[in-house]
Structures are given as structure tokens and as C-alpha cells.
């Protein structure tokens, strides 16, 4: 099946990045959200990020304009019914995702493939709430989408081979690499990454090191481009906690217990960069550790 039109649900950090790379690769993109302000902000951000690529001579001004012309927006979820592939990139809450799919399914064409950009939730379980579990899979982009080269493709228990191959062809058309993952909690990247971040928070919680010393140690001692606490702030501490809870609940192993300090930060609303405070305070000219 040839995929030409792609629907993206959610105009946040991930959704606007997915719209960006899809439009640049030549797909017609229909972006939806419940907020007109979010849609406007997403289109503006895509334009700004494409301008950055133009300034670095990675794309031409004409390519930028063509990509922008391929992006349209709507507040009406049923409008995505005419697309060939839908990528859901709404908030990382299963009840929200299930409600979106239940509202969308009656409007879809028979051939439309449904996917979720979830970073941890069961693909099999999400698929079971639709009319097409064989045409459903995980399509997990890394953040920031225009920069990161990996896409995890996760098959649910019912996902068929034509669906997998169609999604693989899309990933390859973006110039990105696909990693195939089985449908177990948090898949590959976050199964490894988020427990490492949680362990860094435990290291802080137990007083083994300060925010600065922990991040410096991993940057200079393990050659990581960002320290784990800095990375947690970038991802969002609420997202990190949600993934740890999925791992803890899904695998029933105490090694995945979320650190109480991570829980406390989320309870305080200190979620990282998006709220200006997390393990660092971003309200000044330079980030300052909060512990």
C-alpha cells in the first residue's frame, strides 16, 4: 500500500516534529489538536525549525516552502479519516489514547493504518480497542524528531506483515533508521534509558552526589552528550515517572520502583524545561541546579 497522506494527532513537542519530517519527505500532513493555539504554535515552530535547516544549507528555501505547503491543520478529529496512516502523539496517558482511537475509528478508510508514538504503553492493548488490530503498531520517534535518527517500530500481537513493511518504508523514506521491538513495557530505548535516569535520581536522593556532580560524571566519565538529570528535564519528569510506572506495573520487579524524589518533583509541578524548573531552574540566564 502506498502511503501519501498522514494524519498526526497532537501538536505538542512530538507531534510538530513528526509533521515537520513527514512534510519535508513529501507526505501531505494533516495535524490535529484540541487547541487552535497549539496548532498555530506548532506550525510556527515547524517553520522556524525549517528556517534553521535552510540557514545551515541542509535544505533549500524552496524545499522549506514546499514542506510548509504540505501541512494543514484541523480541530476536528474525524477529518483524519481520509488519511492513509495516522500517528497518534497525544499525551502519555492510556485512557486519553484509547478515547482518541475510539472517536476516530468510525471515520477511517478500510486501508488506513493506525499507529501510536507511545514511549511505553502496550501496543497490543491499544490495538485491541480498535476495529483493526492487524493494522495497528507502535511508531515511536525520538525527541527532537528532526534531529534523532532512530524510530522504534513495535508490533502488537496481531500486527500483520504488510502493516510492518508499510511503516518501515515510511521510516526509510525519512532517511531514518528503524529498530524493530517486541511489545513489552517501554520497548528498547526507554527500557534501558529511563531506569538509568531513575538510578541517577536515586543517586541524588541518597546524597551520593549533587545534580552537577552526577551530570558531570556521566558526561565526562561515560561520554554521554547530556547528563541523566539534564536529560530527564529535557524529556519531562512526568514522562519519566509515567514510563517507570509502566515498567514497575508491567514487569512486577522492584528494580523498577520510581525514586521517591522523582515522584516529589512531579507532585510539585517541577517537570523540567517545559515548566522552567526540574532538577535545574531555567528561569535565569543559565540553568542552576535545584539540589
Amino acid at each position: 500500500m502506498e502511503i501519501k497522506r498522514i494524519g498526526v494527532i497532537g501538536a505538542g513537542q512530538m507531534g510538530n516534529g513528526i509533521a515537520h519530517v513527514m512534510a519535508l519527505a513529501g507526505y501531505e500532513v494533516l495535524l490535529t489538536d484540541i487547541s487552535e493555539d497549539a496548532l498555530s504554535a506548532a506550525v510556527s515552530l515547524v517553520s522556524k525549525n525549517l528556517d534553521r535547516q535552510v540557514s545551515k544549507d541542509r535544505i533549500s528555501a524552496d524545499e522549506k516552502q514546499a514542506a510548509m505547503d504540505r501541512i494543514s491543520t484541523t480541530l476536528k478529529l474525524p477529518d483524519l479519516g481520509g488519511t492513509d496512516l495516522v500517528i497518534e502523539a497525544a499525551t502519555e496517558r492510556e485512557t486519553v489514547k484509547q478515547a482518541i482511537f475510539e472517536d476516530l475509528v468510525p471515520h477511517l478508510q478500510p486501508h488506513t493504518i493506525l499507529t501510536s508514538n507511545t514511549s511505553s504503553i502496550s501496543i497490543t492493548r491499544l490495538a485491541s480497542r480498535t476495529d483493526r488490530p492487524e493494522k495497528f503498531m507502535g511508531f515511536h520517534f525520538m525527541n527532537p524528531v528532526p534531529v534523532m535518527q532512530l524510530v522504534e517500530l513495535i508490533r502488537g500481537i496481531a500486527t500483520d506483515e504488510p502493516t510492518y513493511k508499510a511503516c518501515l518504508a515510511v521510516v526509510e523514506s525519512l532517511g531514518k533508521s528503524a529498530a524493530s521491538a517486541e511489545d513489552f513495557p517501554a520497548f528498547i530505548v526507554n527500557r534501558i534509558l529511563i531506569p538509568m535516569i531513575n538510578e541517577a535520581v536515586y543517586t541524588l536522593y541518597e546524597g551520593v552526589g549533587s545534580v552537577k556532580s552526577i551530570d558531570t560524571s556521566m558526561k565526562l566519565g561515560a561520554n554521554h552528550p547530556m547528563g541523566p538529570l539534564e536529560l530527564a528535564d529535557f524529556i519531562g519528569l512526568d514522562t519519566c515517572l509515567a514510563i517507570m510506572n509502566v515498567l514497575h506495573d508491567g514487569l512486577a520487579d522492584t528494580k523498577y520502583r520510581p525514586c521517591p524524589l522523582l515522584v516529589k518533583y512531579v507532585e510539585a509541578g517541577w517537570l523540567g524545561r517545559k515548566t522552567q524548573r526540574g532538577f535545574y531552574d531555567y528561569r535565569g540566564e543559565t540553568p542552576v541546579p535545584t539540589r
Side-chain angles (χ1 to χ4, degrees), residues 205-226:
Y205 175 63
E206 294 167 4
V208 179
S210 65
V211 169
K212 185 177 179 181
S213 63
I214 291 166
D215 278 351
T216 299
S217 293
M218 293 307 292
K219 283 193 283 191
L220 301 184
N223 208 26
H224 290 191
M226 295 173 74

Side-chain angles (χ1 to χ4, degrees), residues 125-142:
R125 202 161 59 235
L126 288 173
S128 72
R129 302 292 289 267
T130 75
D131 65 344
R132 59 194 70 204
E134 72 287 348
K135 284 182 164 48
F136 193 110
M137 70 182 302
F139 208 123
H140 181 215
F141 287 86
M142 306 297 121

Side-chain angles (χ1 to χ4, degrees), residues 3 6 21-22 24-27 139 166-177:
I3 291 171
I6 294 177
V21 298
M22 291 296 182
L24 195 55
Y27 297 100
F139 208 123
C167 290
L168 178 61
V170 171
V171 174
E172 290 174 344
S173 74
L174 302 177
K176 296 186 184 293
S177 298

Side-chain angles (χ1 to χ4, degrees), residues 118-123 125 152 154 181-192 195 242-252 256:
T118 178
S119 53
S120 61
I121 296 168
S122 168
I123 298 302
R125 202 161 59 235
E152 283 183 316
I154 306 104
E182 293 302 313
D183 185 25
F184 290 99
F187 320 130
I188 296 171
V189 173
N190 285 322
R191 171 76 178 264
I192 297 166
I243 295 168
M244 283 308 301
N245 281 328
V246 165
L247 283 165
H248 193 234
D249 295 344
L251 299 172
Y256 297 114

Side-chain angles (χ1 to χ4, degrees), residues 8-22 29 31-33 42 45-46 49 87-92 97 116-119 139-148 150-152 176 190 234-235 239 274:
V8 179
I9 302 171
Q13 194 172 38
M14 298 304 295
N16 78 66
I18 294 167
H20 172 145
V21 298
M22 291 296 182
V29 177
L31 180 63
T32 187
D33 199 281
L45 187 56
V46 170
N49 288 336
I87 303 173
E88 172 274 315
T91 188
E92 190 70 354
K97 294 179 186 295
S116 176
N117 184 60
T118 178
S119 53
F139 208 123
H140 181 215
F141 287 86
M142 306 297 121
N143 184 34
V145 179
V147 175
M148 301 297 280
L150 183 75
V151 179
E152 283 183 316
K176 296 186 184 293
N190 285 322
F234 181 76
I235 294 168
T239 301
K274 61 187 173 185

Side-chain angles (χ1 to χ4, degrees), residues 24-281:
L24 195 55
Y27 297 100
E28 296 293 326
V29 177
L30 182 56
L31 180 63
T32 187
D33 199 281
I34 57 173
S35 162
E36 184 66 59
D37 288 345
L39 288 172
S40 298
V43 172
S44 295
L45 187 56
V46 170
S47 180
K48 179 181 173 183
N49 288 336
L50 285 167
D51 282 336
R52 186 178 293 121
Q53 289 179 290
V54 171
S55 71
K56 294 179 179 178
D57 292 327
R58 290 177 182 162
I59 63 172
S60 68
D62 286 346
E63 286 173 318
K64 182 241 171 165
Q65 190 55 54
M68 291 303 299
D69 290 344
R70 293 186 195 106
I71 299 174
S72 53
T73 64
T74 180
L75 289 169
K76 299 174 183 175
L77 187 63
D79 289 350
L80 271 62
T83 59
D84 304 311
L85 168 67
V86 173
I87 303 173
E88 172 274 315
T91 188
E92 190 70 354
R93 292 213 306 274
E94 188 166 351
T95 52
V96 172
K97 294 179 186 295
Q98 286 176 345
I100 287 169
F101 289 126
E102 286 171 4
D103 288 348
L104 179 62
V105 159
H107 306 282
L108 294 175
Q109 301 176 96
H111 72 268
T112 302
I113 293 172
L114 278 178
T115 69
S116 176
N117 184 60
T118 178
S119 53
S120 61
I121 296 168
S122 168
I123 298 302
T124 299
R125 202 161 59 235
L126 288 173
S128 72
R129 302 292 289 267
T130 75
D131 65 344
R132 59 194 70 204
E134 72 287 348
K135 284 182 164 48
F136 193 110
M137 70 182 302
F139 208 123
H140 181 215
F141 287 86
M142 306 297 121
N143 184 34
V145 179
V147 175
M148 301 297 280
Q149 290 301 301
L150 183 75
V151 179
E152 283 183 316
L153 291 179
I154 306 104
R155 303 186 212 214
I157 197 168
T159 306
D160 63 23
E161 190 65 16
T163 297
Y164 172 77
K165 286 185 174 176
C167 290
L168 178 61
V170 171
V171 174
E172 290 174 344
S173 74
L174 302 177
K176 296 186 184 293
S177 298
S180 297
E182 293 302 313
D183 185 25
F184 290 99
F187 320 130
I188 296 171
V189 173
N190 285 322
R191 171 76 178 264
I192 297 166
L193 175 64
I194 301 300
M196 183 199 77
I197 287 173
N198 192 55
E199 195 63 29
V201 182
Y202 266 115
T203 306
L204 178 66
Y205 175 63
E206 294 167 4
V208 179
S210 65
V211 169
K212 185 177 179 181
S213 63
I214 291 166
D215 278 351
T216 299
S217 293
M218 293 307 292
K219 283 193 283 191
L220 301 184
N223 208 26
H224 290 191
M226 295 173 74
L229 301 175
E230 182 185 4
L231 181 56
D233 277 357
F234 181 76
I235 294 168
L237 304 193
D238 52 339
T239 301
C240 293
L241 178 59
I243 295 168
M244 283 308 301
N245 281 328
V246 165
L247 283 165
H248 193 234
D249 295 344
L251 299 172
D253 192 325
T254 54
K255 74 178 181 179
Y256 297 114
R257 183 173 71 101
C259 179
L261 183 60
L262 177 61
V263 175
K264 193 63 64 180
Y265 269 69
V266 173
E267 287 175 345
W270 290 18
L271 308 181
R273 285 182 177 270
K274 61 187 173 185
T275 59
Q276 296 294 296
R277 275 193 291 190
F279 292 112
Y280 292 86
D281 188 326

